[in-house]
Each structure stands twice: as C-alpha cells, then as structure tokens.
C-alpha cells in the first residue's frame, strides 16, 4: 500500500533523540572525528586527517552498518528503522563534508545524492543562506561541520573500542582452531584487570554475543585465578640504557616472583640491580591458565585483555548451524527472486534422508522465525496449487545429504484429513480440496464458511477447520496434523 509508505525526511533532532547504544557510539565517533579534523587542520597537519578518515569509514561500514543491518531493514519496527536511517544519514552527510577537500569528486557524488533527501533541498527562500547544507548546490561551497561538544562522548567511544578488540581476539582464536564464524560457540570467557574494559563488555554484552556468535559469555576481572603472569623486558630501550648490565638485569626480571610482579603492577615502578624500572621498561603479560584442550585463548598486544573460546562442537551446535544455514538460504533465495521485505512467502523443505533439519528447526524455532518471518514446514504441507517462486538445493551440514528449499506465494491451505472425515473416500476429499484451492484467496478467507458441491455431494466447509490462510495456520489449528507430522506449532509473531 503506497499510502502507508513513510516519507524519509532526515532530522538532526531525531538523531539526537536516539537511545540506541550503537547510534550513540557512531554519533560520538563522528563528533570526535569533527573535533580531530578541526584540531589538525588548524595546526596545518593535513597528512594526519586521511588515515583517521579511512579508519572511521571502516568503522562505519564494518561495524555500525553490520550491527544495524536488520534494524535498518525494519526488523525492529518502522520507528527503529526510521531512527537508524536518520543517524546513518547524518553521519554520511557529515563525513562527506569532511572528505570534500581530500576526495573532491567522490564527495561531490555522495553529496548530490544525499541532499535530495534534505529538508532544504531546492529551497528558494532568501532567508536561508545559499551555502546551507542541502540548499548549497555543491559540497565545495559548504563549511566544515561545526563541533558540537555536547555530543562528544569519550566513554561511548572507549566502550566500542573494547568491544571491537574483544571481537577481533575471539575471531583470531576461532582461526587458530579452524572454527568457521557461522558455527556457534557454546561459551566464551573474557578476562581483564581493567574495570573500564569489564564495564564496557558487560554494558555491550548482547552486541558482543551477536558478533562472536556465542551462546554464553562470561566476563571476569578475577584474572589472578584464571591467568598466569609473565614479565618481558623492553629489550630495545633497556639495551641502550643499561649496556653490558642488561644481561644481569634481564636475569633478575625473569626470576621475579608473582608477589613481586603484583607489587610492580600496583606501583608502576621497581628497582632491579640498582636501576629504577617503570612500566615503560617492563611489559607484564597475562596468559590463560584454563583447560588448553577445551579452550583456545587469545591475548591482546598489551596483555590487558584475554578472550578464551570454548571449542566444544557437538550435536547441539550443529542443530543451530542447520537452522541458521536454512534461514540464510531463504534470505538468499528471496533476494534472487527479487522479493522485498514486505513480500510474504511460505517456506517448505524436503529432506532426502532423516529428519535432522526438522529437529534443528524445532530446537531453534523462535530465532528462525525472527530471521525469516515464517516457520519452514515439510513439503507435505505445501498445497499442490501453490505458486512456487524459487527453489534451491543445499547440503545438510553433517551428513551432506541434499535438502531442497521452496519459496511459495501465500495460498489457501486445506486440511484434507479434516474434509475426509465428511466424505466417503480420500479421493472425494481431495476433489473438495482442489476446488477450494481454485477459489480466490481473499474472497474465500473473507467468509467463515464455504458451501461446496462436488459430484452431487454438498459440504459446508469452515474456515480455521477445513481451510486456512497459510500452512502454519493450518498446523496451529489441527492437533491431528501436529501428531501426524511430529511438529509443534510456532507463532509467526515471535
């Protein structure tokens, strides 16, 4: 319905009103970028701006957009999608202005597309300056974005730096054990002595769990029990300073006890062989002390953060992988078929052997419906008159047996078993079902009953008993079908 489509009109005030943690972070990072550019350009250090810009663009695309991908598509509702698009628009417009002195042609290309959505686009009022954002005919007539210090949030930026660091460490640990990213982890343990890092990961825990694809995450500051500590001399700097005494100092450093190392970590200084050493001279590294067979740990460069992943892979893990793989296949098929988010389809599958997919979907019904907005059913539930939009064959993850996936247009689902109880034979029941499937779907569902005559026999068939708006609706309305196919109904409003 085109009348229900909401026109996108960006507003800075709307962006400011967002309470979404990722929105707050990217807006703070954007304002931090503005602050940095003003500072560096005033000091004529233009060469420092481009690396910072490149880093910011990477964060925008690889972190903000990915974390908000489903939200921007409307998975969390139209209001959240509108809010996220407002934030993304403001960030892109701000970055386009900052980039203009360094990438003039690309910035101009972006600006000409972005300004079409700006409220001041094609404004002809004399009271609005000609170099206003949106009204200005070129990005090169605009000033650099002004700094709004009220929107600078160093803590929000620091939290996400910690999140990014922890995610990267988890991915490195996966690579070491050759565990692919779409295979869920049963547990992840994060250890840090830094209270700010602990707070950041607790605060952003849902995002962290989603990014590393883990069922459980434990964040702990109890590193004394979970880690061993090791001290490493800064050979380069100490060698120049100590000369021939370096060997004796290194020997003393390597012989430090845990209590001496802990005292050094608290004070930041210690005396070795008559030399006063600081944290610049000695690096303290923590190493995971847990089960090395079960866990794969990765330590940050400065030794302050340890991420250990549980490498256990069992049938429960594979069940979720199968459900995720099917959902990803459905989304890929929708795209290939040219469908948009609003287009509704029914999804069916056919297993050549066994029932691994059925069991996996049952175990992860809620998350599957959340991803694809419907619950896939065996092909036996698909109407013979259904319009097949797309089909694809995938391999089941463990046995590698072929599984065929079908996308079908919504159609009337007929419970042949329920109709058969009113008929003399199964064949006659199927004739009644075939007739129902030829009736216009909207007209049929608008009535509570439908009188049908086949071969001189007339039946009064009831909606939600004999015919339904979808296969899932039919399954929910029939305990006999649930028992026959061994499938429990799932609400598609999950």
């Amino acid at each position: 319905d085109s009348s229900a489509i909401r026109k996108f009109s960006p507003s800075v005030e709307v962006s400011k009103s967002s309470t979404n943690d990722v929105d707050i972070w990217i807006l703070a990072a954007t304002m931090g970028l503005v602050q940095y550019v003003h500072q560096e350009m005033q000091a004529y250090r233009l060469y420092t701006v481009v690396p910072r810009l490149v880093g910011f663009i990477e964060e925008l695309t690889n972190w903000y957009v990915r974390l908000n991908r489903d939200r921007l598509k409307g998975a969390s509702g139209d209001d959240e999608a509108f809010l996220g698009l407002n934030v993304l628009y403001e960030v892109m417009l701000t970055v386009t202005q900052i980039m203009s002195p360094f990438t003039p042609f690309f910035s101009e290309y972006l600006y000409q597309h972005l300004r079409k959505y700006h409220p001041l686009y094609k404004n002809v009022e004399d009271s609005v300056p000609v170099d206003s954002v949106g009204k200005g005919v070129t990005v090169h007539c605009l000033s650099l974005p002004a700094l709004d210090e009220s929107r600078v949030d160093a803590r929000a930026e620091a939290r996400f730096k910690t999140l990014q660091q922890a995610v990267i460490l988890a991915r490195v640990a996966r690579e070491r054990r050759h565990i692919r990213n779409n295979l869920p982890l049963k547990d992840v343990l994060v250890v840090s002595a830094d209270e700010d890092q602990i707070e950041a990961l607790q605060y952003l825990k849902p995002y962290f769990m989603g990014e590393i694809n883990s069922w459980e995450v434990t964040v702990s500051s109890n590193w004394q029990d979970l880690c061993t500590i090791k001290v490493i001399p800064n050979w380069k700097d100490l060698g120049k300073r100590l000369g021939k005494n370096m060997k004796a100092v290194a020997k003393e450093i390597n012989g430090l006890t845990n209590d001496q190392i802990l005292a050094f970590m608290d004070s930041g200084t210690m005396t070795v062989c008559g030399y006063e050493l600081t944290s610049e001279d000695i690096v303290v590294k923590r190493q995971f002390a847990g089960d090395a067979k079960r866990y794969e740990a990765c330590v940050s460069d400065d030794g302050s953060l340890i991420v250990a992943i549980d490498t256990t892979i069992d049938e429960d893990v594979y069940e979720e992988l199968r459900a995720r793989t099917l959902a990803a296949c459905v989304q890929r098929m929708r795209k290939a078929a040219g469908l948009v988010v609003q287009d509704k389809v029914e999804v069916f599958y056919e297993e050549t052997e066994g029932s691994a997919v059925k069991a996996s979907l049952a175990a992860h019904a809620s998350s599957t419906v959340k991803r694809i907005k419907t619950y896939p059913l065996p092909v036996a539930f698909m109407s013979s008159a259904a319009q097949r939009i797309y089909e694809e064959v995938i391999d089941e993850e463990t046995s590698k047996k072929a599984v065929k996936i079908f996308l079908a247009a919504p159609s009337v689902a007929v419970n042949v078993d329920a109709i058969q109880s009113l008929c003399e034979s199964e064949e006659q029941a199927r004739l009644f079902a075939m007739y129902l499937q030829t009736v216009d779907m909207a007209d049929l569902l608008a009535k509570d009953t439908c009188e049908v005559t086949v071969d001189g026999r007339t039946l009064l068939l009831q909606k939600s008993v004999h015919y339904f708006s979808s296969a899932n609706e039919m399954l929910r309305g029939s305990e006999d079908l649930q028992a026959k196919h061994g499938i429990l109904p799932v609400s598609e409003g999950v």
Side-chain angles (χ1 to χ4, degrees):
D1 182 4
S2 60
S3 63
I5 296 175
R6 185 175 183 179
K7 182 180 178 181
F8 177 64
S9 180
S11 165
V12 173
E13 295 306 314
V14 171
S15 298
K16 284 183 177 181
S17 69
S18 178
T19 57
N20 180 280
D21 291 318
V22 187
D23 287 348
I24 292 170
W25 161 66
I26 198 64
L27 289 170
T30 303
M31 204 48 59
L33 177 66
V34 171
Q35 185 180 43
Y36 179 82
V37 170
H38 277 283
Q39 170 189 306
E40 295 302 286
M41 294 190 77
Q42 286 171 5
Y44 296 99
R45 291 191 294 265
L46 306 185
Y47 55 87
T48 65
V49 175
V50 172
R52 177 72 178 263
L53 264 173
V54 171
F56 179 84
I57 293 170
E58 181 181 352
E59 290 195 333
L60 177 64
T61 55
N62 293 340
W63 290 94
Y64 179 76
V65 172
R66 191 177 72 246
L67 287 170
N68 274 286
R69 185 167 45 205
D70 294 337
R71 176 175 170 240
L72 292 172
K73 291 179 180 178
S76 301
D78 290 345
D79 290 340
E80 277 297 307
F82 182 74
L83 193 57
L85 288 171
N86 262 274
V87 171
L88 182 59
Y89 180 87
E90 181 186 345
V91 172
M92 288 185 66
L93 192 57
T94 302
V95 174
T96 298
Q97 293 172 253
I98 294 173
M99 286 171 54
S100 60
F102 308 99
T103 56
F105 298 108
F106 182 58
S107 299
E108 183 66 15
Y109 173 83
L110 290 176
Y111 177 70
Q112 292 304 329
H113 282 277
L114 291 171
R115 70 186 286 252
K116 293 176 183 176
Y117 298 96
H118 200 279
L120 294 181
Y121 180 56
K122 292 187 177 180
N123 184 285
V124 294
E125 296 177 11
D126 293 336
S127 58
V128 179
V130 294
D131 60 350
S132 299
V133 176
K135 183 175 182 178
V137 295
T138 172
V139 72
H140 301 295
C141 75
L142 309 181
S143 301
L144 283 176
L147 173 63
D148 183 352
E149 294 189 0
S150 68
R151 304 179 75 184
V152 175
D153 190 338
R155 185 69 199 124
E157 291 192 70
R159 281 190 182 122
F160 268 84
K161 287 293 182 188
T162 300
L163 171 69
Q164 291 164 351
Q165 187 179 28
V167 168
I168 291 170
L169 291 175
R171 289 173 182 168
V172 171
R174 275 182 179 271
E175 289 174 5
R176 289 177 180 171
R177 291 291 186 100
H178 306 289
I179 301 173
R180 53 190 185 177
N181 288 331
N182 66 343
L183 197 66
L185 301 172
K186 300 196 82 169
D187 186 31
V188 173
L189 177 61
V190 184
V191 185
S192 176
D194 188 327
E195 290 301 325
D196 286 340
Q197 289 184 331
I198 295 294
E199 185 274 339
L201 291 173
Q202 291 284 17
Y203 188 83
L204 299 172
K205 191 174 181 178
Y207 295 105
F208 182 53
M209 292 178 67
E211 280 301 290
I212 62 174
N213 189 14
S214 177
W215 293 349
E216 296 290 339
V217 168
T218 303
V219 182
S220 175
S221 59
N222 186 22
W223 64 269
Q224 293 95 333
D225 293 338
L226 296 169
C227 304
T228 57
I229 50 178
K230 182 180 180 181
V231 288
I232 302 173
N234 184 342
W235 296 101
K236 184 178 179 181
D237 292 345
L238 283 178
K240 293 178 182 177
R241 178 174 150 198
L242 304 180
K244 62 182 181 179
N245 294 324
M246 180 66 208
K247 189 174 182 180
V249 171
K251 184 178 179 180
E252 288 291 323
I253 291 174
N254 290 333
L256 292 173
T257 65
N258 269 3
D259 289 340
Q260 289 174 315
I261 295 172
L262 291 173
F264 169 70
M265 292 170 65
D266 287 337
S267 65
T269 63
M270 71 184 312
T271 301
V272 179
C273 297
Y275 294 96
E276 185 174 329
L277 306 180
T278 68
S279 55
E280 297 292 325
D281 303 313
I282 302 176
V283 177
V284 179
K285 290 217 169 188
R286 297 174 179 84
Q287 295 175 321
F288 185 62
D291 185 350
K293 289 185 178 180
R294 178 180 174 184
Y295 288 92
E296 180 65 40
C298 192
V299 186
S300 61
D301 291 339
D302 62 1
S304 66
L305 189 65
I306 297 176
V307 177
I309 66 170
D310 186 344
T311 60
T312 303
I313 299 174
D314 54 20
E315 183 57 25
D316 290 341
V317 171
Y318 279 116
E319 278 191 346
E320 180 169 337
L321 179 60
R322 290 188 200 103
R324 280 174 174 260
T325 300
L326 188 145
C329 178
V330 169
Q331 291 168 334
R332 186 171 62 249
M333 291 167 67
R334 287 180 62 96
K335 184 176 181 181
L339 301 176
V340 297
V341 175
Q342 294 80 7
D343 291 332
K344 292 184 178 181
V345 295
E346 293 188 90
V347 180
F348 303 94
Y349 61 89
E350 181 178 25
E351 296 185 83
T352 54
E353 291 183 32
S355 58
V357 171
K358 184 171 81 170
S360 298
L361 288 171
H364 300 279
S366 177
S367 59
T368 300
V369 171
K370 186 176 180 181
R371 288 188 181 97
I372 61 176
K373 309 305 179 190
T374 187
Y375 185 67
L377 292 174
V379 71
F381 282 87
M382 183 166 61
S383 166
S384 59
Q387 178 190 349
R388 298 184 182 185
I389 299 173
Y390 206 89
E391 61 184 68
E392 185 174 317
V393 177
I394 61 174
D395 289 335
E396 193 275 312
E397 287 295 335
T398 51
S399 66
K400 299 301 179 185
K401 301 297 183 182
V403 178
K404 184 176 281 189
I405 313 297
F406 303 89
L407 295 190
S411 62
V412 172
V414 181
N415 189 340
V416 178
D417 292 349
I419 296 177
Q420 189 175 342
S421 65
L422 306 176
C423 299
E424 297 173 354
S425 66
E426 181 181 350
E427 182 180 354
Q428 190 178 62
R430 293 196 178 279
L431 291 174
F432 277 99
M434 289 174 60
Y435 175 83
L436 286 175
Q437 290 162 352
T438 64
V439 179
D440 180 79
M441 184 175 178
D443 291 343
L444 182 62
L445 296 176
K447 300 179 291 184
D448 290 332
T449 60
C450 179
E451 188 175 88
V452 181
T453 301
V454 174
D455 291 341
R457 183 178 180 84
T458 301
L459 295 179
L460 185 64
L461 302 178
Q462 298 178 7
K463 185 173 72 172
S464 300
V465 175
H466 302 108
Y467 59 92
F468 303 80
S469 61
S470 69
N472 269 288
E473 193 68 33
M474 181 172 69
L475 178 66
R476 282 191 287 274
S478 172
E479 293 183 359
D480 290 340
L481 285 177
Q482 295 169 27
K484 179 179 179 180
H485 294 275
I487 302 175
L488 293 177
V490 177
S491 171
E492 293 180 291
V494 174

